[in-house]
Amino acid sequence: MASGGISVASLWTDVNRCGQNGDYTRALKALTKILHENRDDVTALHCKVVCHIQNGSFKEALNVMNTHSKVLGSEVVFEKAYCEYRLNRVESSLKTIESAPEQTDKLKELYGQVLYRLERYDECKSVYTDLIRNSQDEYEEERKTNLAAVVAAMSQWEKAPMEDLGLPESTYELCYNATCSLIGQGKLTEALNKLQQAEGQFIFSLCYQAGDMTEEDIQSELAVIHSQMAYVMQLQGRTDEALQLYNQVIKLKPSDVGLLAVTANNIITINKDQNVFDSKKKVKLTNAEGVEYKLAKKQLQAIDFNKALLAMYTNQADQCRKLSSSLQAQNPGHPRPVLIQVAQLCREKQHSRAIELLQQFSDQNPESASGIKLTMAQLYLVQGHVTKACDVLRSIEEFKHKPGMVSALVTMYSHEEDIDSAIDVFKQAIEHYQSEQPGSATHLALVREAANFKLKYGRKKEAISDLEQLWKQNTKDVHTLAQLISAYSLVDTDKAKSLSKHLPSADTMSFNVDVDELENSHGATYVRKKAAKVVGENPPKEQGHGEIKKKKKKKKGKLPKNYDPKVTPDPERWLPMKERSYYRGKKKGKKKDQIGKGTQGATAGASAELDASKTASSPPTSPRPGSASGSSTAPASGVVPPRQQKPSSSGATRKKAPQKKKKGGKGGW
């Protein structure tokens, strides 16, 4: 009997009834009373663990299992692994599953989930394939959905080829996962159509389960589809439409922190170095609690990279260095953290330090040095060190024989007038294709370009061997033969004559061309004039009498007015005055005495005329006692009097009168 006279049997009845009603809190109270009577009751302990799990109290459930591990033993292996999985202790959950004495179907289901979280997609795919093949129950559709998610993850993150597993697209979840696989394969148009199909299927399904889903659930599911639509549009370059959809998703405030973080990150990538204030607000959504458990490692890595770049764009140099250094420590072989640090150093004009950092990373990680060396070459070019940039580019084994790289190297060496090095680049590239792809289009194109380059810079003998190689590949190539004959004509005339025999004859080279029409065409430089018909009474000219040309009269040259035939003309008269030998320059100080001392603009000649004190009828300059100060006689008619100035002490500089402001116009002067 339990305490208070209640039997254990009645307590088990309460537990059973509460379990059926979903009242797990009340069931826990009854189980506590049962365990008070029998502390090691395995069934009661197992039920208590299940009630805690149903209430979402995973830590309490795990504590019960750890406390009574000896009693429970392997009875609660699944429950323990599930609690560890829900508490994001994925590695511990994996060990618990692998240590189970028997792999049941529910353990395999959980095993697949754990492997997916650990991004071990190949093993996860095998687990779900085996489960679908060997089980038939109401959860088959969910297993197929999970398998489709695994295939989509392999396509997106591992770039694995798309494999047709015969999965249906009967639900919007399956259709959505198929879309993710198409995005990973780069089939964006098909992916967008499939997303629209998934949205239609979801809306159609609402007609049958409208009461089962809340408004929040509906908006959350649609937000996932709309965010993926925006991502596809962004990849297609339709950034305005994508940004509009992203902002709609953010306004809905879905409960999925992973969805919010991805959407906010994609908005930041669209903003780039513009609209930085909006990006700083959006980046806070990527720091929400639990984001690291919702996203894949590559998604989290991309978000961290964008945080560092945003710090650089907002001129937070210390924060940028801190984030990029942390990223480099987490991903020592990844070149992007180093490139972010280099970009920050370049913004600070520390190009030499940036090159040192790139060289250090290139030496430590030769497998990913190609992109790093291209950046080094760019920095050398910015500094004007063209030869150093060429040396770095030639050290990239992966690219140095590519036609684009050869073209860039030849151009830079030509700019530096280092023709020998440019020819050496051609030589190495031709030898590479001669051994790897002899006679290919790229090989022959390089040989032809090398020959043209050598002919351009007068290396006739070196060009002859390339032209002979080209002509042997195609003896009907008249253009190459003509180039070869032209080159031999400067080196070996006999050889040029012997080769000229291979040129086609004039008859074989003739074309059906109307010469008159060609001469009269718009592109002709000379047009032959047709003879005009005789009009009027002009008689025809007799044969033997040519037309008499009129002689033009020679005009006498004009002579200057002061020309004196007795004086020899100045031989330097055609030169400008400043370039003649007898030019001594202008004399300075000649008109110093003519500079006026009055107001600005006054002249020396007018100063005496305007001085009223020197006129006979002028009154005394100083005012008489008792008269108003400052009175003066009226000036002469028609003359504007100068403005009075305050007397200045001797040696003081004269102040310049202010200019009048011009009225009109925007803002004035």
Side-chain angles (χ1 to χ4, degrees), residues 545-583:
H545 295 278
E547 185 181 353
I548 301 172
K549 293 182 179 180
K550 295 181 180 180
K551 292 183 180 180
K552 292 182 179 180
K553 294 181 179 180
K554 291 184 179 180
K555 294 182 179 180
K556 294 182 179 180
K558 292 183 179 180
L559 298 173
K561 294 179 180 179
N562 58 350
Y563 173 69
D564 188 357
K566 297 179 180 180
V567 179
T568 306
D570 184 6
E572 297 182 7
R573 63 187 180 278
W574 308 114
L575 296 174
M577 182 61 73
K578 289 185 178 181
E579 295 180 12
R580 298 182 190 180
S581 58
Y582 50 80
Y583 179 70

Side-chain angles (χ1 to χ4, degrees), residues 455-507:
L455 288 172
K456 179 181 177 181
Y457 288 95
R459 307 289 180 92
K460 306 289 183 183
K461 293 182 179 179
E462 298 176 37
I464 285 171
S465 61
D466 295 332
L467 291 169
E468 283 182 337
Q469 183 180 350
L470 280 173
W471 190 56
K472 287 176 183 177
Q473 291 285 338
N474 184 12
T475 54
K476 295 181 180 180
D477 189 354
V478 181
H479 177 70
T480 304
L481 180 59
Q483 282 184 307
L484 187 59
I485 293 169
S486 176
Y488 265 124
S489 65
L490 301 172
V491 179
D492 188 349
T493 53
D494 295 333
K495 183 70 175 177
K497 288 179 181 178
S498 63
L499 285 172
S500 62
K501 296 176 183 177
H502 297 281
L503 287 171
S505 62
D507 297 334

Side-chain angles (χ1 to χ4, degrees), residues 33 90 126 180 217 223 242 248 266 310 312 318 324 342 417 446 486 490 508 544 558-559 586 589 623 628 634 646 665:
K33 293 177 182 179
V90 187
S126 301
C180 296
D217 294 336
Q248 287 177 8
N266 292 350
L310 182 61
M312 183 184 72
D318 294 336
S324 56
V342 167
E417 299 182 357
L446 284 170
S486 176
L490 301 172
T508 59
K558 292 183 179 180
L559 298 173
K586 294 181 179 180
K646 293 182 180 180

